[in-house]
Amino acid sequence: MTHGYTTGTGVSPEPAGPYGTPHAGGAGAVPETPYPLPQQRAAEPAPEPAPAPGKPGRDRYLDLLRSIALVRVVVYHLFGWAWLTVLFPSMGVMFALAGSLMARSLKRPALSVIRSRVRRLLPPLWAFSAVVLAMMFVNGWNPSEDPDHGDTWGLIGLFNYIVPIGAPPYPWHVGSKSGLLEDTWAVQAAGVLWYLRAYLWFVLASPLLLWLFRKAPWPTLLAPLGLTAIVGTGVVTIPGETGNAVTDFAVYGSCWVLGFAHHEGLLKQVPRYVSVSCASLVMAFGLWWASNHLGPDGWDLNDIPLAQATWSFGFVVILLQYSPSWQELPGRLAKWDKMVTLSNNRAVTIYLWHNLLIMATVPIIDLAYRLPFMQSERAVAALDGAYTIWMFALVWPLIGLMVLAVGWVEDLAAKRRPRLWPNGSKSKRPQPSAGAHRG
């Protein structure tokens, strides 16, 4: 199972996929019945009466976090830098944002909310699955004869490419090493689907989790960390993909419930110095645990479940505690507004396709070796030394092309008018002059 992957939204209040659309109330929302916690003192004078509430808008701070998480995922899968999992735990952030949106939407009947989330998730998955499965079959893969799956179970497992309730089957080696893509491309392409499985589980469990959270907020918030200490450290071992799924649910469960706490206003009832101090202690424990349980890739927290859970938990607490709830990106961040909007509207597409597109950069860059001016040893050495940099530069245009090619499926899934490049720009139609007539 491949970990470390992330997490699309549209301009409507409802999320367009597993990432969701940030809620308007955000960090400042306070429940009707406050939790029994001390209130944080205000250093300023008594506030003036609030203006009449207007139409809910997007929280651009949460949009920015989602965009950063997506970029971090692409960079991580391209360069493989383990320290990125410590610098910014993308998956914990993504699950927390999705949990906050789920809590907001559950003001409506739970069944309709679940149906809406699933509807927004599946069509982009189907587009991706159709291409990936076709590539696997063309390269000679037969799931009924795969030694890792075999017989009827291999065929039944294909259902997970339609509804990701479990782990989809894929060959560890397909095609040839001398082909356009390396023979392990299927592992990299289909491995990202673990996130969709975890997201679907959280969506189905959210009505119960939110009910438990409102009855007993702190036990519900901390219980997944305790479960991770049991199933993520070897105290209790659950074999196979079932164990992976349970571990994923435990590792990111507290982040999902933190989204509930953010939406319900629980975090704002805790004095900031208390929450930040406690979060720092939890993060310090995560680093200590990681230092004594390093995996094959060193400090890659994706290989150390308890460290991933505790570090992500503390990191997300601090991010949400300081949540400024921007209606617009401030200062120099404003120049990134369109890219942030685009990445949020096409987050599912970017997440699903990015690994396959990273691999697609290799045969494109290899064409450069055939150019006449690349026949010297110095030129070849220069290209070899900067190969991953060229991959990084090339993958973004490829992602842009994929957004144009299949991103509109996210709009159909959300029952919106299909858009090719939804970056927030409004087309300005020229107004007819006074003397002009309509043709």
Side-chain angles (χ1 to χ4, degrees):
M1 178 170 175
T2 308
H3 284 209
Y5 306 89
T6 137
T7 214
T9 66
V11 295
S12 66
E14 295 300 322
Y19 299 98
T21 304
H23 59 85
V30 179
E32 295 180 0
T33 305
Y35 298 102
L37 290 169
Q39 298 295 321
Q40 186 173 352
R41 293 181 180 178
E44 296 80 8
E48 297 180 359
K55 183 179 179 180
R58 296 178 65 93
D59 188 330
R60 299 300 280 168
Y61 174 72
L62 301 186
D63 282 352
L64 179 64
L65 290 181
R66 186 176 296 108
S67 298
I68 293 173
L70 282 171
V71 172
R72 203 283 282 163
V73 166
V74 176
V75 174
Y76 170 79
H77 286 143
L78 179 57
F79 293 98
W81 293 330
W83 53 266
L84 285 174
T85 63
V86 178
L87 179 66
F88 194 89
S90 288
M91 303 317 300
V93 172
M94 298 307 303
F95 280 118
L97 300 182
S100 179
L101 291 166
M102 194 67 187
R104 179 197 182 193
S105 294
L106 281 173
K107 295 177 182 178
R108 299 186 285 112
L111 186 59
S112 67
V113 174
I114 292 174
R115 184 167 57 246
S116 174
R117 292 297 186 277
V118 173
R119 186 192 71 238
R120 293 166 184 265
L121 175 68
L122 295 186
L125 170 63
W126 295 341
F128 174 78
S129 298
V131 173
V132 170
L133 284 175
M135 292 173 62
M136 292 180 187
F137 294 148
V138 167
N139 280 274
W141 180 57
N142 186 341
S144 64
E145 298 177 357
D146 192 312
D148 296 319
H149 307 284
D151 301 330
T152 306
W153 287 111
L155 295 174
I156 294 177
L158 293 176
F159 180 75
N160 290 303
Y161 284 100
I162 303 174
V163 181
I165 58 175
Y170 48 81
W172 285 94
H173 299 278
V174 64
S176 66
K177 293 183 178 180
S178 60
L180 285 177
L181 300 177
E182 61 181 60
D183 62 344
T184 60
W185 68 265
V187 179
Q188 303 300 322
V192 301
L193 297 182
W194 77 269
Y195 173 81
L196 274 67
R197 174 185 66 189
Y199 171 82
L200 183 58
W201 281 34
F202 280 127
V203 166
L204 296 177
S206 281
L208 175 60
L209 286 175
L210 185 58
W211 179 83
L212 291 173
F213 175 78
R214 288 169 173 168
K215 294 292 184 181
W218 295 104
T220 306
L221 182 61
L222 300 176
L225 295 179
L227 180 60
T228 304
I230 296 174
V231 301
T233 61
V235 174
V236 173
T237 301
I238 304 175
E241 285 297 334
T242 301
N244 289 333
V246 172
T247 300
D248 291 337
F249 192 88
V251 167
Y252 297 107
S254 284
C255 290
W256 187 274
V257 181
L258 271 175
F260 294 172
H262 175 253
H263 178 267
E264 299 281 293
L266 175 62
L267 292 180
K268 288 301 181 182
Q269 297 179 43
V270 183
R272 180 172 291 175
Y273 73 92
V274 173
S275 62
V276 173
S277 299
C278 292
S280 299
L281 290 175
V282 173
M283 295 169 70
F285 170 80
L287 291 182
W288 172 81
W289 182 268
S291 68
N292 291 280
H293 299 82
L294 297 179
D297 297 319
W299 282 85
D300 194 326
L301 299 187
N302 293 310
D303 301 326
I304 316 170
L306 185 57
Q308 177 74 286
T310 50
W311 179 262
S312 297
F313 178 83
F315 198 96
V316 170
V317 166
I318 294 174
L319 285 180
L320 295 183
Q321 182 65 278
Y322 282 89
S323 176
S325 298
W326 293 325
Q327 294 302 306
E328 295 180 355
L329 293 178
R332 296 182 179 180
L333 292 175
K335 66 181 180 180
W336 298 99
D337 182 80
K338 291 182 179 180
M339 295 308 299
V340 169
T341 300
L342 178 66
S343 63
N344 276 264
N345 282 323
R346 292 295 180 258
V348 180
T349 300
I350 295 171
Y351 175 77
L352 283 174
W353 292 91
H354 78 273
N355 246 10
L356 192 59
L357 296 176
I358 287 174
M359 290 180 286
T361 63
V362 173
I364 296 175
I365 297 174
D366 284 348
L367 295 175
Y369 288 102
R370 302 180 184 180
L371 297 175
F373 57 85
M374 290 295 299
Q375 302 309 307
S376 67
E377 292 184 4
R378 178 178 297 182
V380 171
L383 183 56
D384 289 344
Y387 204 97
T388 52
I389 301 299
W390 283 108
M391 292 175 67
F392 177 79
L394 185 57
V395 72
W396 301 108
L398 292 181
I399 289 175
L401 290 175
M402 191 56 66
V403 165
L404 290 172
V406 300
W408 50 269
V409 176
E410 294 192 49
D411 292 327
L412 294 182
K415 295 185 177 181
R416 290 192 300 263
R417 178 180 57 83
R419 299 163 296 171
L420 289 179
W421 197 255
N423 65 350
S425 297
K426 296 181 179 180
S427 58
K428 296 181 179 180
R429 298 181 180 179
Q431 297 297 324
S433 60
H437 66 278
R438 295 181 182 180

